[in-house]
Amino acid sequence: MGSMEASTAPENGSAASGGAGGTACNGAGASSNGGGMERRLRSSAASASWAAHLPLEVGTRVMCRWRDQKLHPVKVIERRKGSASSSPADYEYYVHYTEFNRRLDEWVKLEQLDLDTVETDVDEKVEDKATSLKMTRHQKRKIDETHVEQGHEELDAASLREHEEFTKVKNITKIELGRYEIDTWYFSPFPPEYNDCPKLFFCEFCLNFMKRKEQLQRHMKKCDLKHPPGDEIYRSGTLSMFEVDGKKNKVYGQNLCYLAKLFLDHKTLYYDVDLFLFYVLCECDDRGCHMVGYFSKEKHSEESYNLACILTLPPYQRKGYGKFLIAFSYELSKKEGKVGTPERPLSDLGLLSYRGYWTRVLLEILKKHKGNISIKELSDMTAIKADDILSTLQSLDLIQYRKGQHVICADPKVLDRHLKAAGRGGLDVDVSKLIWTPYKEQG
């Protein structure tokens, strides 16, 4: 999940360095120890003064020791009693690491917090600038790759506050799915009876979820499914794609939405799955077809959406599956004879993936095409909506507005540079293996 490397170097400057020379260094040693004791006393006094204010209030800002064993700035989002004791020191705190995406929010104990750094009122912009300056260039790049906070651009301020208040505390910490135990990223509105259950166990075929491992083991002996409950519309090597109708498989569709919401911050959970089709990508072996990701789409979209949600499960990320799912959605649009675009807002990783896909597809055509080509012609060839083509080419400085129309400027060297920056295209969709007809309402 993009955690930074932990420092393993031992601390230097140990006082016990030479027994024989102890007498000669005694004066210096006493002075050094006295200074150290004075600092510890000051620290203890500061901590003692803050101990009087425990438990910490929601909204408090403080430094917290993270998994890399370094201190990072956090904001207290929520608090709870950690045991039956009524002592203020026994509280646990749900914190947001202000340097990172919300997916790393977690419950921490008091001993992980440096009480000497407690702040109760800090200007957001000043703090963000300060924490950014403390990070090395390598740390900043590594965090930006996977923890960019985006995807809320289309939410107004009131909606964003409501969203963050409702989803501020992660209710499920881990899930078990097939052979993987996966740390979750975000809140998902599971039924109330699962609120006190930090880990859920999913059947990887029907997606029913249970509180205990024993329940899952009993379920697996009775579950007849070895693949998603739908039609297999694509098979190439060990990869399969299944189309699941939300109306025909309502429980599966709802469970898939619960599961996906654990890894998608901004999406609304659709309880009415009747209106959606789910395209579930699987890796297949002799034990069955194991879900690696999916995308959903509305059966009928007035806005030309060809994708509503997209998710590659964390154990399968960085293997090209996200790019494959995007490419697959456009192949379906081509079969339908329509242009398509993903539903907004996109998640942070979704936006990066789409921008990369549009860049690769469009620039490959521009490299091979001789003569002029219009936005409309590019849209007809790719099934990409004209607005997405325009925004992509503008972001690459490949389009100009001359005499009342947009003109594409395609210098070969510039195209090669942008293609290299866009990265690999991922897994190819073999259209000859796609056996599918567009959805039509039965009856």
Side-chain angles (χ1 to χ4, degrees):
M1 292 173 58
S3 59
M4 298 189 295
E5 297 174 3
S7 174
T8 57
E11 292 184 3
N12 295 325
S14 174
S17 57
T23 303
C25 297
N26 208 21
S31 174
S32 175
N33 288 341
M37 184 175 295
E38 183 182 342
R39 284 193 297 273
R40 285 196 296 273
L41 288 172
R42 281 202 305 266
S43 177
S44 298
S47 297
S49 68
W50 273 109
H53 297 282
L54 293 177
L56 297 178
E57 296 291 335
V58 171
T60 299
R61 297 175 186 274
V62 63
M63 300 296 284
C64 178
R65 195 167 302 281
W66 195 45
R67 63 191 68 171
D68 62 354
Q69 299 307 310
K70 297 176 183 177
L71 291 172
H72 294 271
V74 301
K75 179 179 180 181
V76 175
I77 304 298
E78 191 56 271
R79 66 184 188 184
R80 68 185 180 191
K81 291 183 178 180
S83 65
S85 170
S86 59
S87 170
D90 288 332
Y91 273 74
E92 295 176 345
Y93 299 93
Y94 193 78
V95 299
H96 168 60
Y97 294 90
T98 57
E99 296 170 336
F100 306 148
N101 182 280
R102 288 178 63 215
R103 70 188 64 156
L104 296 182
D105 294 2
E106 62 181 350
W107 287 101
V108 300
K109 297 183 181 300
L110 183 64
E111 54 262 31
Q112 293 173 252
L113 304 176
D114 182 0
L115 295 182
D116 295 343
T117 64
V118 169
E119 300 175 14
T120 55
D121 188 17
V122 178
D123 181 77
E124 294 275 354
K125 294 180 181 178
V126 172
E127 183 209 55
D128 290 345
K129 184 176 181 181
T131 56
S132 179
L133 290 173
K134 291 175 186 175
M135 301 163 64
T136 67
R137 185 178 302 168
H138 171 71
Q139 290 170 337
K140 181 70 173 157
R141 178 184 58 78
K142 195 165 186 179
I143 291 167
D144 285 346
E145 284 178 359
T146 52
H147 300 120
V148 180
E149 186 76 78
Q150 294 175 350
H152 297 294
E153 291 84 352
E154 296 192 5
L155 295 179
D156 58 43
S159 299
L160 183 56
R161 282 196 300 272
E162 182 180 358
H163 164 80
E164 291 183 344
E165 177 63 26
F166 183 67
T167 66
K168 65 181 181 180
V169 178
K170 194 186 306 177
N171 51 341
I172 308 296
T173 306
K174 297 177 184 292
I175 63 167
E176 184 174 305
L177 181 70
R179 59 194 179 96
Y180 292 105
E181 181 181 80
I182 310 171
D183 291 332
T184 63
W185 292 357
Y186 302 112
F187 171 90
S188 181
F190 282 87
E193 58 266 31
Y194 295 92
N195 284 348
D196 60 345
C197 185
K199 181 177 178 180
L200 290 181
F201 299 85
F202 279 80
C203 171
E204 64 174 327
F205 301 118
C206 72
L207 297 186
N208 282 346
F209 47 88
M210 302 107 199
K211 293 184 177 182
R212 299 192 305 276
K213 179 81 169 181
E214 298 78 16
Q215 291 175 303
L216 176 64
Q217 291 170 338
R218 289 196 298 270
H219 169 85
M220 295 304 292
K221 293 177 181 178
K222 298 182 289 184
C223 185
D224 296 328
L225 284 177
K226 295 298 178 186
H227 58 74
D231 299 325
E232 187 176 18
I233 62 173
Y234 180 88
R235 171 72 72 98
S236 179
T238 59
L239 278 187
S240 282
M241 183 74 83
F242 291 83
E243 180 184 67
V244 181
D245 188 330
K247 187 174 183 178
K248 296 178 181 177
N249 300 279
K250 184 172 294 190
V251 173
Y252 181 90
Q254 290 176 340
N255 290 345
L256 180 55
C257 289
Y258 282 131
L259 172 63
K261 186 63 186 69
L262 292 169
F263 306 100
L264 298 171
D265 184 17
H266 62 286
K267 286 293 183 181
T268 302
L269 185 66
Y270 292 103
Y271 294 97
D272 185 7
V273 295
D274 293 16
L275 306 177
F276 291 86
L277 297 168
F278 299 89
Y279 295 89
V280 185
L281 180 63
C282 298
E283 286 183 352
C284 302
D285 57 26
D286 55 358
R287 296 186 299 111
C289 298
H290 314 281
M291 183 179 76
V292 304
Y294 88 102
F295 72 89
S296 60
K297 64 181 290 187
E298 288 183 274
K299 294 175 180 176
H300 306 288
S301 173
E302 296 179 1
E303 296 86 355
S304 301
Y305 293 145
N306 64 354
L307 183 146
C309 281
I310 181 171
L311 172 70
T312 303
L313 291 169
Y316 300 98
Q317 290 179 0
R318 300 187 180 276
K319 296 183 178 181
Y321 289 132
K323 298 169 184 174
F324 180 90
L325 290 169
I326 292 172
F328 201 94
S329 71
Y330 279 103
E331 293 301 333
L332 297 187
S333 293
K334 291 176 187 177
K335 286 266 189 181
E336 292 174 309
K338 300 177 180 178
V339 297
T341 188
E343 183 179 319
R344 269 61 166 189
L346 290 168
S347 69
D348 50 0
L349 300 181
L351 179 63
L352 293 172
S353 297
Y354 264 97
R355 186 69 76 184
Y357 172 80
W358 292 329
T359 297
R360 284 186 298 273
V361 169
L362 296 173
L363 297 198
E364 287 289 355
I365 292 175
L366 293 178
K367 275 188 67 176
K368 298 172 184 176
H369 188 80
K370 304 298 181 183
N372 296 329
I373 188 169
S374 68
I375 301 291
K376 174 69 166 58
E377 289 171 323
L378 283 173
S379 182
D380 292 340
M381 294 169 68
T382 62
I384 300 174
K385 196 172 182 180
D387 289 345
D388 296 329
I389 295 175
L390 191 59
S391 66
T392 300
L393 296 179
Q394 285 175 333
S395 71
L396 300 172
D397 289 328
L398 293 177
I399 199 162
Q400 296 179 3
Y401 195 69
R402 297 177 185 169
K403 297 180 180 179
Q405 61 181 354
H406 290 101
V407 179
I408 299 171
C409 307
D411 179 85
K413 291 182 180 179
V414 176
L415 296 182
D416 287 336
R417 188 174 73 248
H418 285 311
L419 276 171
K420 185 177 181 180
R424 296 181 297 109
L427 305 170
D428 292 327
V429 179
D430 186 346
V431 183
S432 67
K433 305 290 179 65
L434 174 60
I435 303 173
W436 180 78
T437 54
Y439 175 83
K440 292 182 179 179
E441 195 72 54
Q442 294 182 356

